Amino acid sequence: MKYEVVIIGSGLGGLECAHILSRAGMSVLLLERGAQTGGCIQSYKRRGLAFDTGLHYVGGLDEGQSLHTAFEYLGLLRLPWQRLDTDFDRVTIGDRTFAFTQGYDEFVNTLAADFPAERQALARYAGLLKRIAQQRPDAPGTSSVGRPFPFAALIGTSAYGYLTKTFHDPLLINVLSGTSLKMELRQESLPLFTFAHGNSSFIESSWRLKGDGSLIVNSLADDIRSHGGEIICNAEVQELVEKDGKLAYAVCSNGESYEGDIFISDIHPAVTCRLVKQSDRMKKIYRHRIERMENTFGMFTVSLCIKPGTLKYFNWNQYVYKEPNVWTFYQEDSPVGGILMSCRVPEEGSEYVQQIDLLTPMPWSKCAAWKHTAVGHRGDEYKAMKDCIADECIALAERFIPGLSDMITGRYASTPLTYRDYTCTPEGSAYGLRKDFKDPVMTLLSPRTPIPNLLLTGQNLMLHGLHGVTMTTLFTCAEILGKEQIWNIVKN
């Protein structure tokens, strides 16, 4: 059978593309190399508990906000979302704690109470975040209300440079950057647009799922099938075969080949290029460009099982830093200096948590010594390294939860190697290809490729996170359905 669209990879971008295109009436096939769909939003079970890999919270779900209409169209608003506290993110640096408050005016007022001399600068910054949140998904240069938006200027501006020029208090710069542990804070490359986009929707409103990421995965997958789409797992694409200047079919590890009119890759662009082994269209210059692009760092995660009735649920995300060195702490060889703490909403009727995640950035260099190993076969030194970093994360977390160590009944740690092996992401990158304000043209990718019927999607192109991947999905689908139809999806 020949499909109108064949999608490679079932991460959030692949699932959302399959949902939109199958709902539009196209015949869609989604191919997944692993045993289950979901990519970085899939979950796994240990001791009867489900743990997430990359999902912790999402922003902009209220009516009229940046993600509402897209999630409504995708059927994701029907899931059990819980709004976080008004002070949804709390940043502890040393012995002081600061709050990020939902609502742009409230965000300014809360931080201005601690930094009164910076009120005007905070208001300008909040205005920038608001404009980014209102940006139309079908045109990077236009806002939702039709005003020109300086996308090119922001993507070509240093995030760190903007912060240091706008704000005078070094502590405030660290506070404003403190919730961005969920992206790669790199002074020499991070664009202002990437930084601001990663914060803007959460200030609109912030939400946590009552359950694990499989709720999102299963909801999208069920809808895809109800629209007539097909999903096949354990079907790793081994080659994309080109004929007469276009892709003709995908050869898979299950011994099958699948023909398509259009192919969409939700896997890393470098991996995608390697699958196209012979091509008249994909020249060496394009392949070399993709192969040379740098990846963002990965994450170390330790998921903790908590003794029943010992830790009350906290309805916000807690960031903890030893020192005001938010932009550089992960580059140092000293013990872990910063973590994100996030807990699962407890079962109905309970006020105590059963599990909590601790995350800290981890550059590839810290686990590269085991790059030739596979899951479950990395040796005692690797396990000792994981145990040491997990201990350091827990010790830092005890600044917020004294006695946490005594509440733990089990723990499970993952490194960028884990992400690499489960998601086929080079170097276990958590946020895809690195964007660089000094060379935005070379580090931002279009959904289009030199092969006319091969498109890309996912966080490697422009934006990351649930919000960013969803916006990128719309760009990709617009190449097939047209911008007007995609814009109608998100404005109605």
Side-chain angles (χ1 to χ4, degrees), residues 366-378:
K366 294 190 176 181
C367 57
W370 298 276
K371 66 182 179 181
H372 297 300
T373 63
V375 173
H377 303 279
R378 305 201 199 278

Side-chain angles (χ1 to χ4, degrees), residues 209-283:
L209 194 58
K210 294 180 182 178
D212 60 86
S214 66
L215 294 175
I216 294 176
V217 175
N218 293 338
S219 175
L220 291 169
D222 288 346
D223 282 357
I224 291 165
R225 294 187 178 102
S226 72
H227 299 154
E230 296 182 45
I231 301 173
I232 303 178
C233 292
N234 296 310
E236 181 177 4
V237 175
Q238 296 179 322
E239 184 176 0
L240 293 171
V241 178
E242 180 184 302
K243 287 187 177 181
D244 299 323
K246 291 185 177 182
L247 293 185
Y249 56 92
V251 180
C252 290
S253 59
N254 60 3
E256 300 289 339
S257 296
Y258 302 96
E259 293 184 77
D261 294 321
I262 299 170
F263 292 78
I264 298 175
S265 177
D266 186 39
I267 62 177
H268 194 282
V271 178
T272 304
C273 288
R274 292 171 205 152
L275 293 177
V276 185
K277 297 179 181 180
Q278 299 289 332
S279 174
D280 294 328
R281 292 297 192 104
M282 187 177 283
K283 305 297 185 182

Side-chain angles (χ1 to χ4, degrees), residues 35 125 274 381 410 414:
Y125 175 61
R274 292 171 205 152
E381 289 187 5
S414 63

Side-chain angles (χ1 to χ4, degrees), residues 86 120 222 325 357 389 473 485:
T86 301
Q120 289 187 347
D222 288 346
N325 57 349
D357 289 337
I389 296 178
T473 295
Q485 185 168 341

